[in-house]
Amino acid sequence: MDQKIGVVGAGLMGAEIALVFALADHDVLLNDRDQQSLGRALARLRTLMEKGVARGFYEQGQIDAVLARIRPVSDLSTFHDRDIVTEAVFEAVEVKSAVLKALDEICKPDCLITSNTSTIPISTLAAALPIERRPHFIGTHYFSPVSRMNLVEVIPGFDTTGTTLEEVMATIISIGKTPIHVKDVAGFAVNRMLHMFMIEAVKLVEEGVATPEDLDTACRLGLGHPIGPFALMDAVTSSLCVQAQEIMQEAYGERFRPPPLLKQRVRAGYAGGKGQPGWITPAVSG
């Protein structure tokens, strides 16, 4: 059954979440604060499809048809008829809570509202919603790049119903992704494993054991990883990694404390992302 989908946030994650639903023939509204952000997002998606999404390649007519199913809107009130809405805004409780409160005012009572948070417990975010809305609220943590990564962590909160969990799991499968059911804890499952790995990798550099480049090579060739931890930190930004680790440090203690070198590089402007210098990406002079 075709569902009317809404996505709030047209950044790298939100735009690609909108794309995978459009590829599955759903009608999608993509919301951001201004038309310039929305225009940039759609241009990125067109380029992504032209290069091939998830090992699939599309003719120009197919690209036009898919992107036509994504309607950019800066007015959130257009979400009044959506069946499923995904919040994919900045990873901060106050920012996400503001969006959830706005959606509660707009969305129909049986709309399923999901959050793409990567670290914040779903029940913490659910506190922004009234009691009657919380049974229809759940976490759906996609992985970047969404167009290629098949995994989605599905995280019910304290008040999420079994029906909501089943419906969301089925929807994730229907768009070609693989869901796993994860308990509602800070960092969920994958990020808890990933950030312990990243923290140890940075410590190896701090101790002079090996360079970031050699450690990335070791992970690719010795562990079979498709990308090394330092290239990954450059892609998602080290600043986001510090933010996630601090959230988990608050929940679990010292084992998730961000390494001093990681925080120092972020403060020095070596966080990576969008062509900026990082661990592997060099600074550009001039």
Side-chain angles (χ1 to χ4, degrees), residues 99-110:
V99 170
L100 293 173
K101 289 176 182 177
L103 290 172
D104 176 59
E105 295 288 330
I106 293 163
C107 295
K108 58 188 182 181
D110 61 346

Side-chain angles (χ1 to χ4, degrees), residues 1-257:
M1 180 178 66
D2 288 342
Q3 294 169 308
K4 294 180 178 179
I5 305 299
V7 179
V8 184
L12 294 176
M13 294 295 290
E16 291 202 26
I17 291 169
L19 178 61
V20 296
F21 275 100
L23 284 166
D25 295 329
H26 293 291
D27 170 63
V28 183
L29 293 181
L30 178 61
N31 169 266
D32 213 304
R33 291 171 294 182
D34 57 74
Q35 290 297 328
Q36 291 79 10
S37 298
L38 291 164
R40 288 192 295 269
L42 289 173
R44 284 198 306 270
L45 295 182
R46 181 173 291 278
T47 300
L48 188 64
M49 291 195 71
E50 289 171 349
K51 291 181 176 179
V53 176
R55 296 171 297 280
F57 293 90
Y58 300 87
E59 301 293 336
Q60 196 61 50
Q62 294 174 305
I63 294 173
D64 292 341
V66 170
L67 295 182
R69 290 195 281 273
I70 304 174
R71 290 180 285 153
V73 294
S74 55
D75 183 358
L76 204 57
S77 67
T78 54
F79 279 44
H80 65 90
D81 66 343
R82 299 293 95 180
D83 299 308
I84 301 178
V85 173
T86 297
E87 165 277 303
V89 299
F90 185 70
E91 188 76 355
V93 172
E94 61 274 14
V95 177
K96 291 180 179 292
S97 294
V99 170
L100 293 173
K101 289 176 182 177
L103 290 172
D104 176 59
E105 295 288 330
I106 293 163
C107 295
K108 58 188 182 181
D110 61 346
C111 175
L112 298 181
I113 299 178
T114 80
S115 174
N116 184 51
T117 179
S118 59
T119 51
I120 303 169
I122 297 306
S123 295
T124 298
L125 294 176
L129 296 169
I131 292 293
E132 59 270 19
R133 178 72 77 177
R134 296 177 193 176
H136 305 290
F137 178 60
I138 196 168
T140 51
H141 176 212
Y142 295 80
F143 289 78
S144 183
V146 179
S147 57
R148 293 185 180 273
M149 299 293 280
N150 287 331
L151 182 67
V152 181
E153 290 181 304
V154 179
I155 312 103
F158 292 148
D159 300 306
T160 307
T161 65
T163 300
T164 295
L165 173 61
E166 291 173 6
E167 184 171 345
V168 169
M169 294 281 278
T171 297
I172 295 300
I173 292 169
S174 75
I175 63 172
K177 302 298 182 185
T178 301
I180 61 170
H181 176 188
V182 177
K183 183 180 178 180
D184 185 26
V185 294
F188 313 129
V190 174
N191 266 335
R192 283 178 62 176
M193 294 187 289
L194 174 63
H195 283 281
M196 289 300 296
F197 186 79
M198 285 180 170
I199 287 168
E200 190 61 28
V202 175
K203 287 180 178 179
L204 288 169
V205 174
E206 286 180 326
E207 295 166 9
V209 175
T211 65
E213 292 82 1
D214 283 347
L215 289 168
D216 273 7
T217 298
C219 290
R220 292 195 310 272
L221 302 184
L223 300 178
H225 294 186
I227 185 172
F230 295 95
L232 180 58
M233 281 187 273
D234 282 358
V236 303
T237 75
S238 291
S239 53
L240 183 60
C241 293
V242 168
Q243 184 183 29
Q245 289 164 20
E246 287 176 340
I247 290 171
M248 288 185 282
Q249 181 191 358
E250 182 181 3
Y252 305 115
E254 288 301 298
R255 72 183 193 267
F256 281 104
R257 179 181 291 278

